[in-house]
Amino acid sequence: MMNNKLEEDLSHMEDKHEYIQIKSPLEDTVIGMVHALTQKEVDTAIQLAKEAFRSWRDVPLNERAEILYKAANVLLEHMDEFTVLLMKEVGKDRKSANSEITRTADFIRFTADTAKSIHGESIQGDNFSGFNKEKFAVVTREPIGVVLAISPFNYPINLATSKIAPALIAGNTVIFKPATTGSLCGIKLVEIFKEAGLPEGVLNIVTGRGNEIGDYIVTHPDINFINFTGSTEVGLNISKKAHMVPLLMELGGKDAAIVLKDADLVFAAKNIIAGAFSYSGQRCTAVKRILVVNEVADLLISHLKEEIQKLQTGNPLEKQVDVVPLINTKAADYVWELIEDAKAKGARLIYGGKREGNLIYPTLFDYVTTEMRVAWEEPFGPVLPILRVNSVDEAIELANQSEYGLQSSVFTENLSDAFHVASKLEVGTVQINNKTERGPDHFPFLGVKKSGIGTQGIRYSIEAMTRIKATVINLSH
Ligand code: NAP
Ligand code: G3H
């Protein structure tokens, strides 16, 4: 639909289409242009997907899998291009960009492998009282139709693929709406699948601003499933508008790291700092608050301080860094507001609290109270609040007071305490003695409360984007 070469894009500027400039968060330069699709063009894309569904659903599973295996290889062949694009378009550091691509290739392969091992089942009628063996059900999994995949800016390759690959292997066709900042990566990703042999119409990208075309796509009558990753605000809006369309949603989070008195504090500090600040905390699973029991708070903080000082900050095009400029000025202003609010309300600044343009230095606050916004809001940026608690029960209570419920960490040497805390936490996943994080990608990944609906993870995503069909055989007829 659109190519991503700036020169070619500019040469089309004379045509009647509208274009959106994609600016790098690293330098204030335009790195590409994407087409802002009209409603009519969106209709055409969805129509193509609907027509392609009729034949794609009947392509044998092993042939669909072959295309996916090939796509994984082609993606890796383009590693260098993708790395540079990820760095320029969404400001990733080189190491994270490389790992996003490798992880995505692994994800695609594992998806193909997994689908081959998902079998239907047959259920005997005589399992239920009053029925006999002459009645049984053959239960199969059917694709749902046209899946709308909407992805966020922060993992433009991986989080797009985590929707696209399971949808395709299950026999669905896809309308892919990438985040506008991230759509150059999205366009290239679609080219990879096409190069791997995906037939025309099976995967269609629609570019344009979510606040302009979003409502139109999500309420389109020919969309049969919506798989969304992004903010809770946009997710809520979609869920209010989608009528009778099944939803899978990964939304915001406020993941807590709970540190108990017998934790290995050096290990916990290393883990927490890495979990909170990599890619400047622009990860749904970033550690977003620390709840530490008073007895060990001072010692933990001294280790945290040691670790935070090691973080490299700056432009990833110049050197390998952990903390990069935030995706745009709106995001940086928001994080800065949270920092100012915490300072004004008496939080103790342990480290950071500095800003240069959209680069916010890693910031750590102690003595954060429940009156401060940073105790509850998701910064999606490099600021980490510490809330001191008197007991494990208080930590659990504070953790659960959040409107979010993505993940939590518990650091302790006592496994039974860890299980006790884990059993009380209202989240999708509890990490015992590790930072909060998504991988490995075949594990279930879900948020409760305002963090999401449904379960992702390779097998779970395939299951979510298929429906059960029962064909009942009646032998006595
Ligand atoms: P976002 O602003 O909510 O955008 C996400 C996607 O929704 C983008 O493609 C965006 O397009 C689109 N969109 C915006 N308005 C829309 C509308 N009215 N209808 C349909 N689509 C619309 O989120 P983001 O800033 O890209 O990502 C950060 C957020 O995502 C954070 O809150 C983070 O926690 C969350 N996230 C969650 C997970 C998870 O797994 N739980 C993973 C990653 C990120 P435009 O770019 O064109 O606006
Ligand atoms: O931003 C959300 C991603 O799904 C987080 O993945 O924990 O591997 O960084 P990650």
Side-chain angles (χ1 to χ4, degrees), residues 150-154 159 177-180 208-211 214-215 218 228-231 234 237-238 250-253 284 378 380 406 438 445:
I150 305 180
S151 57
F153 79 84
N154 66 333
L159 287 178
K177 152 77 184 93
T180 296
R209 295 214 182 274
N211 58 7
D215 284 358
V218 302
F228 171 83
T229 300
S231 62
V234 175
N237 177 51
I238 293 175
E250 307 177 331
L251 308 175
C284 57
E378 180 189 43
F380 226 60
L406 192 58
R438 184 185 186 118
F445 183 71

Side-chain angles (χ1 to χ4, degrees), residues 260-265 267 411-418 433:
L260 305 191
K261 66 170 190 257
D262 63 346
D264 176 338
L265 297 178
F267 173 80
F411 290 92
T412 171
E413 296 291 280
N414 183 322
L415 204 54
S416 84
D417 284 351
N433 291 324

Side-chain angles (χ1 to χ4, degrees), residues 103 154-155 159 282-285 380 436-439 445:
R103 173 183 184 176
N154 66 333
Y155 278 89
L159 287 178
Q282 298 176 114
R283 296 167 45 244
C284 57
T285 47
F380 226 60
T436 43
E437 64 183 9
R438 184 185 186 118
F445 183 71

Side-chain angles (χ1 to χ4, degrees), residues 418-430:
F419 267 91
H420 168 71
V421 176
S423 71
K424 301 280 178 200
L425 292 172
E426 296 162 3
V427 292
T429 304
V430 179

